[in-house]
Amino acid sequence: MNMQIDKEIHTDKFEDNYHRAVVNILFTYGWLGGVTRGQFEKHNITQQQFNVLRILRGQYPKPATVNLIKERMIDKMSDASRIVDRLVQKQLVTRCTNNKDRRAVDIRISEQGLDLLSKIDKEYKTRDMFQNNLTEEEAGKLSELLDKLRG
């Protein structure tokens, strides 16, 4: 099914194609969030918690700091400290004092966190969301255009 932004939001009154593109990107952000949200809710985590777990898996076995996590997060408005707190409660990450700097806190993904990501990786493939609507080449071009947009 080919969705067009004009039909989705029931308007064709855009100032120009730049305005249309911005509205379309924002609408698509919400749509994509809705599609992925269910995947994570099955495992009792949020998209932001998933993002933090992925960052920590990328660092593994080295620890990360909250500042490193903040720098790498997709949603820059997220409260990384609070997300880490929730992941500690769920035993998906561990927190301990840095040996070199007692004021710093090291955060590591736990075995339970690695297992959860492995499970999600097996059941959730991003290509499955898009391959009916975009070819691999089109997905690459879309990514290039988004990179270009951000300058």
Side-chain angles (χ1 to χ4, degrees), residues 5-141:
I5 191 63
D6 311 61
K7 292 181 179 121
E8 288 296 317
I9 65 169
H10 306 284
T11 190
D12 60 358
K13 292 181 172 69
F14 298 105
E15 295 169 19
D16 50 32
N17 280 332
Y18 295 109
H19 181 221
R20 186 176 197 273
V22 168
V23 170
N24 205 338
I25 290 167
L26 292 171
F27 181 84
T28 303
Y29 169 77
W31 170 81
L32 195 54
V35 170
T36 57
R37 190 172 299 114
Q39 296 294 329
F40 305 126
E41 284 176 352
K42 281 193 279 191
H43 299 284
N44 195 29
I45 62 170
T46 65
Q47 291 168 301
Q48 291 86 357
Q49 289 170 352
F50 175 74
N51 186 209
V52 170
L53 289 172
R54 296 272 315 243
I55 291 165
L56 292 172
R57 180 172 66 180
Q59 281 290 113
Y60 187 79
K62 294 186 294 185
T65 62
V66 171
N67 283 339
L68 181 137
I69 291 169
K70 282 180 188 175
E71 288 170 15
R72 295 186 183 175
M73 285 186 73
I74 292 171
D75 181 357
K76 301 295 184 197
M77 299 302 290
S78 294
D79 184 343
S81 298
R82 193 171 285 154
I83 293 168
V84 168
D85 289 343
R86 290 197 180 101
L87 291 170
V88 167
Q89 289 171 353
K90 295 176 183 189
Q91 300 179 338
L92 298 174
V93 305
T94 59
R95 183 187 286 135
C96 59
T97 306
N98 181 299
N99 293 331
K100 294 179 184 141
D101 181 353
R102 311 261 330 135
R103 294 166 301 171
V105 175
D106 286 342
I107 302 156
R108 281 189 180 85
I109 190 167
S110 68
E111 285 300 319
Q112 196 172 334
L114 289 168
D115 291 345
L116 176 62
L117 285 183
S118 178
K119 190 184 298 183
I120 292 172
D121 287 345
K122 287 180 184 133
E123 65 186 45
Y124 173 70
K125 301 284 184 210
T126 51
R127 98 174 56 83
D128 294 341
M129 289 188 332
F130 297 120
Q131 67 186 7
N132 292 334
N133 300 334
L134 294 177
T135 65
E136 175 109 17
E137 294 76 27
E138 288 170 330
K141 185 64 177 171

